[in-house]
Amino acid sequence: LSSRADRNVFDKRRDHDIKREAVLHIAAEMFNKRGYAATSLDEIAKHFGISKTALYYYVKSKPVLLQMCYELTLNLCEEIMREVLESEATGIEKIEAYFRGVIGGILKTGPVAIVHEFATLPEAAFDSIHKRARGLDSDLASIIEEGIADGSIAEVPPKLTELILMGANNWIQRWYNPDGEKTTQEVADCFVYLFINGLKARSKDDI
């Protein structure tokens, strides 16, 4: 697991929210790498050297922990999306800014995004989280349409393109190793090179 997550955070006098955020990041990393069903609260508590009972002070249950991970991710993504939508940039520039912001934000602070675990969310939270996630999908598709209209993006199907971009971005959490060879900047650069540059409108001289 990520060495950036301070295993000794519970040995120090730190704010409750700092400790809870550390739990969220480690839980998200375990959920992403092993799967939700294969990860227990006992394992998460063991990582920090505390009891499962002590862990309940920060999270009420495993489903609620999953919910909190999703909410933390959505908060970050929605903040970046708001900034992008308010900018005067072209469509392609907005898309690049969004994914650079999301990739950099999530990978630098530690994983919080969860891949394909919507079905295990608490029933009371499912509709709200699903709606927020679909809102981001809709915003991105709208930006793609905007880019096609302003000439910065090639004539591509907006919805299909949005699904491909979001899918590729979400899957980074599965394989990224913060202690590996590649930095977050290099991951973002590669994403832009492969996906965003491929969206750019081309002149006849470029073809």
Side-chain angles (χ1 to χ4, degrees):
L1 291 176
S2 172
S3 61
R4 288 178 305 177
D6 186 357
R7 290 173 180 267
N8 298 318
V9 67
F10 285 87
D11 293 337
K12 302 173 182 178
R13 297 183 62 183
R14 294 196 177 177
D15 182 85
H16 175 275
D17 290 341
I18 293 176
K19 294 178 180 180
R20 182 175 63 179
E21 187 165 315
V23 170
L24 292 182
H25 289 312
I26 284 300
E29 187 166 0
M30 289 184 176
F31 292 159
N32 282 321
K33 303 294 185 186
R34 307 175 185 176
Y36 176 81
T39 302
S40 69
L41 290 182
D42 288 304
E43 291 176 293
I44 296 170
K46 183 179 179 181
H47 175 86
F48 293 105
I50 62 174
S51 67
K52 185 176 178 180
T53 301
L55 187 64
Y56 280 128
Y57 180 65
Y58 302 93
V59 292
K60 295 180 180 180
S61 66
K62 193 167 113 174
V64 170
L65 178 56
L66 178 65
Q67 174 186 338
M68 292 165 66
C69 289
Y70 267 115
E71 289 172 343
L72 190 59
T73 298
L74 288 168
N75 290 343
L76 170 67
C77 293
E78 287 170 344
E79 179 181 353
I80 295 170
M81 182 61 80
R82 278 193 296 271
E83 294 175 358
V84 166
L85 292 174
E86 291 172 358
S87 76
E88 298 297 326
T90 64
I92 194 69
E93 290 169 341
K94 288 180 179 180
I95 291 177
E96 178 174 346
Y98 175 74
F99 283 108
R100 282 193 180 278
V102 170
I103 292 171
I106 290 177
L107 298 188
K108 284 180 181 177
T109 60
V112 284
I114 307 295
V115 181
H116 302 315
E117 295 289 359
F118 272 117
T120 50
L121 282 165
E123 185 176 352
F126 179 88
D127 288 343
S128 173
I129 290 177
H130 190 264
K131 182 179 180 180
R132 290 175 67 184
R134 296 294 74 81
L136 289 168
D137 291 341
S138 178
D139 286 340
L140 184 59
S142 295
I143 293 174
I144 294 170
E145 292 175 348
E146 178 185 328
I148 294 172
D150 68 28
S152 64
I153 293 179
E155 293 282 346
V156 295
K159 182 59 180 177
L160 177 60
T161 304
E162 176 270 318
L163 290 171
I164 291 171
L165 290 174
M166 284 297 200
N169 174 67
N170 291 340
W171 209 254
I172 292 173
Q173 305 305 314
R174 282 283 194 183
W175 56 260
Y176 181 70
N177 177 9
D179 298 321
E181 297 179 356
K182 300 301 179 183
T183 65
T184 57
Q185 181 66 51
E186 289 174 316
V187 173
D189 287 344
C190 186
F191 187 95
V192 168
Y193 180 81
L194 292 175
F195 294 100
I196 310 305
N197 287 347
L199 285 178
K200 290 181 178 178
R202 300 286 192 269
S203 66
K204 290 183 179 180
D205 294 336
D206 294 329
I207 299 175

